[in-house]
Amino acid sequence: MRVPVKWLNEHVEIDDINIKHLEEKLILSGSNTEGVKDFSKNNTKIVIGKVLEQTKHPDADKLFVLQVDIGEEVTQIVTGATNVNVGDFLPVAKVGAHLANGIKIKRGKLRGEVSNGMLCSLDEIGFDKSVTPKMFDDGIYILEGEYKVGTPLFKAVDLGDFVIEFEITPNRPDCLSIEGMARETGATFNRKRKQLNDKNDFKENDIKKYIDIEVEDLDLCPRYAGFVINNVNIEPSPQWMQIRLMQAGVRPINNIVDVTNYVMLEVGQPIHPFDLDLVDDKKIIVRRALDGEKMTTLDSVERTLKNDDLVIASAKKSIGIAGVMGGENTEITENTKNIFVEVANFNKTAIRMTSKHLGLRTEASARFEKGIDSDRVGKAVNRLIELYSEMNIGELVDGVIDIYPNLPDKKNINLRTSEIKRILGIELSTDNMKEMLERLEFKVVELNEDDLTVEVQSFRLDICEEIDLVEEIARMYGYDNIPTTLPGGVQYGEFNYRQKIENKVKKLLVAKGLYEISTYSFVSPTAVEKINRSEDEILNKFVRLINPLGEEYSVMRTTLLPNMLEVLTRNNNNGNDKMLSFELGNTFIAKSIPVTDLPIEKKSICIGAYGEGVDFFSVKGIVELLLKHLGIVNIKFEKTNDILTYHPGRLTKVYTDDILLGVVGEIHPNVLENYGMGSRVVAAELDFEKIVEDANLTKLYNPVPKYPSIERDIAILVKEEVTNAEIIDIISASGGNNLVDVKLFDIYRGAQIKSNHKSVAYNMIFRADDRTLTYEEVQKPYDKILRNLEEKLDAIRR
């Protein structure tokens, strides 16, 4: 919201306040700003001149030679502007002047004729072309009326005003107006503001002879008012109004439209004028659109409407989309003679839905969808009539139609001093609170020692509960004046159980030399295909984005592995010879296709590694260490070949008891080729949710053994397909209660070993807690272990 300070000063006297102080105090009271623009800044030596003589350039058909009086002298200026005439007063940049667009004026010659200065257009002195009147689009700015020549431009004309741009939050639509910001300014500096005429007891009188209005849906249009002007004179609006509009960011059009925009900015109420002669049967009906009904809006686009849309219609057709944009079929043109000016209030939700489905957002719809109180309609009508009368635009028909059958209920809120103390930490009397609230134009209807009852004015749609009034007190008291205090009581924070496990996982993996990576949750739907899992029903249950950045980021990921492989490939291609990394992140699996409900969202752990010293066993060892560190027992690795992402001979599933925790394996060469990866990659995918369920962070103390242990080694020859897990299961089951640990310490394949066989060696530790074991107590289970290995695995002792 752009607010010219001189316009604001007409509503609340602030001309004695420095602009910097004004901005700072308004920010502290809750009105954030995006900056202050000074239109006179960077413009120097620009004065008012008068054209005394105009002749054609002798050597250029499109140039004119002017004699211009600039007060101290009559100077010659050459220009190509076609809108300049003798007697015009206009801005002249003298020799040595600097303009807002960076130009410095020097003496010069144009096709042989001396030119001492330059005539200025609006964009050259700092106005954006989008807000300059069309008549000055490609020409010099011609001033209205007469001036003393040689007077500095920004001293004689209000072009050089300060303009504050406020950042208005969506919950404060009352501040989207000069009046609203004047209210905030008056409250901040404790100054009375000028009240606009808010008379609401309108009489219809003669207007019924010219227009008939019917509102069919009062829920969507609680108030509809308007008046008629006959024999209008359509011409440019006065210079002072054009300047105000331009400074506020609105382009002047003509006197009819400019007054509606001026009042919208001043009061905050959108307004729309119709060419009354183009309204069929001089009847306006406010109704819902018919499904599929079409109309062409002012931007010359044909719109298809729905039954939920509210339209302004004549007796035969739609002539406007309520609260959004008028129709081309009743547009104000230079031939317009009679007009009907609409001032109405519309349901904010209905306007938002219409604007959204039509893809049409206007200044009016942006205001209506935030909410506008119905009482503002009367204020806008009074101000419109006042301005149209002053400007003698036409013949105002006596009377105003105002359909407003259901007045809103008064809203009262009780505010306690105890709540002020509890929330803000300050003690205020009810008299203090009353004074602050009345500065904001709230009405205190009941005052007690400990509380007061506040009547909320209709323009404060955001005030609903006691806490809202507490915030208003805080603003007026001053956030910078509220003492800094520490929260009472004992306050501390700690990680929950799940977070503790997450931290342990990350710390352990980092300690083992892995780098943590974090990748996008948005991926390409081809990611599953690249890892040879296109037949996996679960991984193909994608949640698709409605408005993706592109096809590569169009679905939510169902697995972390594709992202991991992309990261590893990128690092390998960039010359990193070795990398071990992990990601702990969310995956998203749709419950059904098409998606009708929130997806299943769960965390997974993905480990990926390549380079010297990295193989299947090193990654398997990291996984095993991680699970043991989290207190997960009975870990088993079971060889498999049913996942096409991995090499069929180098893949294992990880279990605790019968619960599948994930897989560890070497990536299949075909998958590596899909990614352009030149090194072998080993990866692990673990279900973090199941790990959390089975983790046990409780650590039990085991005393140092009192009695010595006995170690025995065993080396056996087994077939190649026999797994380490199978051997350890047999040893553990056969070793009895005194067997406390089993470890594989050697694997050998060579010329001395039969083909398709391998030699494996294990270390076994026996110990009792209450005595030293005898030879017989160790040998007996040892023999049993050997016997069971021979019987069940055809093992041969070496």
Side-chain angles (χ1 to χ4, degrees), residues 86-112:
V86 172
D88 285 343
F89 290 85
L90 31 67
V92 178
K94 302 195 302 184
V95 173
H98 288 83
L99 303 183
N101 61 4
I103 294 176
K104 182 179 180 181
I105 306 304
K106 301 178 181 178
R107 297 183 189 276
K109 284 187 177 183
L110 289 175
R111 301 292 289 271

Side-chain angles (χ1 to χ4, degrees), residues 728-748:
I728 288 182
D729 284 345
I730 293 174
I731 294 174
S732 299
S734 308
N737 295 332
N738 294 327
L739 178 64
V740 295
D741 195 18
V742 182
K743 287 182 181 177
L744 171 70
F745 69 87
D746 184 53
I747 301 176
Y748 176 71

Side-chain angles (χ1 to χ4, degrees), residues 3-109:
V3 177
V5 172
K6 289 182 180 177
W7 194 356
L8 183 65
N9 188 61
E10 290 182 3
H11 289 259
V12 57
E13 289 188 14
I14 53 170
D15 50 2
D16 61 327
I17 301 174
N18 175 274
I19 185 65
K20 186 176 181 181
H21 181 60
L22 175 66
E23 182 189 17
E24 288 176 350
K25 290 291 286 183
L26 286 172
I27 291 172
L28 287 173
S29 67
S31 301
N32 288 331
T33 71
E34 295 183 354
V36 177
K37 181 169 184 178
D38 179 3
F39 279 92
S40 64
K41 190 176 182 181
N42 300 325
N43 287 300
T44 61
K45 299 184 74 172
I46 303 176
V47 300
I48 292 176
K50 182 180 180 180
V51 179
L52 302 179
E53 185 181 329
Q54 180 182 35
T55 57
K56 283 254 185 193
H57 193 292
D59 294 323
D61 293 339
K62 294 185 178 181
L63 295 178
F64 298 92
V65 179
L66 307 179
Q67 302 301 318
V68 182
D69 184 357
I70 58 173
E72 59 193 30
E73 63 176 332
V74 175
T75 188
Q76 178 170 298
I77 296 176
V78 180
T79 181
T82 57
N83 67 326
V84 176
N85 297 294
V86 172
D88 285 343
F89 290 85
L90 31 67
V92 178
K94 302 195 302 184
V95 173
H98 288 83
L99 303 183
N101 61 4
I103 294 176
K104 182 179 180 181
I105 306 304
K106 301 178 181 178
R107 297 183 189 276
K109 284 187 177 183

Side-chain angles (χ1 to χ4, degrees), residues 413-415 430 433-434 437 444 446-448 451-454:
I413 298 176
N414 182 257
L415 176 60
T430 51
M433 292 157 58
K434 178 176 182 289
L437 292 171
V444 177
E446 186 178 341
L447 182 69
N448 301 307
D451 66 349
L452 46 79
T453 303
V454 181

Side-chain angles (χ1 to χ4, degrees), residues 600-618:
I600 300 169
E601 183 175 344
K602 64 179 185 177
K603 284 196 171 181
S604 300
I605 303 171
C606 185
I607 297 173
Y610 71 86
E612 185 180 354
V614 173
D615 59 18
F616 169 83
F617 294 104
S618 60

Side-chain angles (χ1 to χ4, degrees), residues 253 561 581 592:
I253 306 296
L561 187 59
S581 57
S592 60

